[in-house]
Amino acid sequence: NKQVEATHWEKLASINTSIVRQLQILKDCSPTENEVDALSQATIEEWLEVGDVGKYLTQLHIQFQSSRKHLKAMGDAAGVPIEPNQQTALIEETLTVPGVVAVLVPGAGGFDALACLYVNRESVRHAVGKRWANSGTSTVCPLSALAATSQVEGVRVEERS
């Protein structure tokens, strides 16, 4: 149904704008090392207890979950596996790892990739890798990427030309 797809598309546009806004807010946060450690060891449900940065990460998580919901519904309506069920299971498993903010299928979807946003601690990265290695649903090989090489740059908005 084209109307259903259009509605999801419009909601996704709004959610994506909210995600960018939330990332900009997070860029300006200056959490203490203790707060970052606490966030990396806590589940999403416990983040609200970790100051403003915990509140902002919780909001970011909710926005990414909403984005996933609309992408999956749009894919289902179009008969295209934007987020295949096998990946949904692994995403949901990964979201239970303390320190994980969001997990989603990047790009045009399919069965070949996942993106995981997490609190930047080696313990979280290792726990995600272990979860993926022990997943019986698919073979996943973690590939780490950093958002920026310095604290100064952080998240940036690139202008469209």
Side-chain angles (χ1 to χ4, degrees), residues 47-97:
W47 286 350
L48 291 175
E49 300 167 19
V50 188
D52 284 344
V53 71
K55 178 179 78 172
Y56 300 141
L57 283 178
T58 300
Q59 291 170 350
L60 185 62
H61 166 77
I62 290 167
Q63 291 163 344
F64 272 113
Q65 288 293 88
S66 184
S67 174
R68 280 186 54 223
K69 179 185 91 170
H70 288 290
L71 282 169
K72 188 158 179 64
M74 191 166 57
D76 290 346
V80 177
I82 292 175
E83 183 183 300
N85 292 335
Q86 297 91 323
Q87 285 185 300
T88 297
L90 185 55
I91 288 169
E92 294 301 325
E93 281 181 45
T94 306
L95 286 169
T96 66
V97 174

Side-chain angles (χ1 to χ4, degrees), residues 113-160:
L114 287 179
C116 180
L117 178 64
Y118 60 90
V119 176
N120 189 16
R121 288 293 189 250
E122 182 71 22
S123 60
V124 181
R125 186 179 63 78
H126 179 72
V128 169
K130 187 175 180 182
R131 181 70 49 102
W132 288 0
N134 294 327
S135 168
T137 58
S138 59
T139 302
V140 180
C141 176
L143 175 62
S144 295
L146 296 175
T149 57
S150 70
Q151 293 288 354
V152 177
E153 186 176 356
V155 177
R156 74 173 180 231
V157 177
E158 294 187 6
E159 299 296 323
R160 293 182 186 170

Side-chain angles (χ1 to χ4, degrees), residues 6-60:
T7 301
H8 288 299
W9 189 255
E10 291 163 1
K11 288 181 182 177
L12 279 168
S14 174
I15 292 165
N16 287 340
T17 299
S18 296
I19 288 171
V20 168
R21 201 170 23 252
Q22 199 65 37
L23 288 170
Q24 289 170 329
I25 290 168
L26 279 163
K27 176 184 84 70
D28 294 334
C29 281
S30 298
T32 66
E33 287 296 311
N34 287 342
E35 287 175 320
V36 175
D37 286 340
L39 291 164
S40 73
Q41 298 168 22
T43 62
I44 294 161
E45 296 79 16
E46 300 166 323
W47 286 350
L48 291 175
E49 300 167 19
V50 188
D52 284 344
V53 71
K55 178 179 78 172
Y56 300 141
L57 283 178
T58 300
Q59 291 170 350
L60 185 62

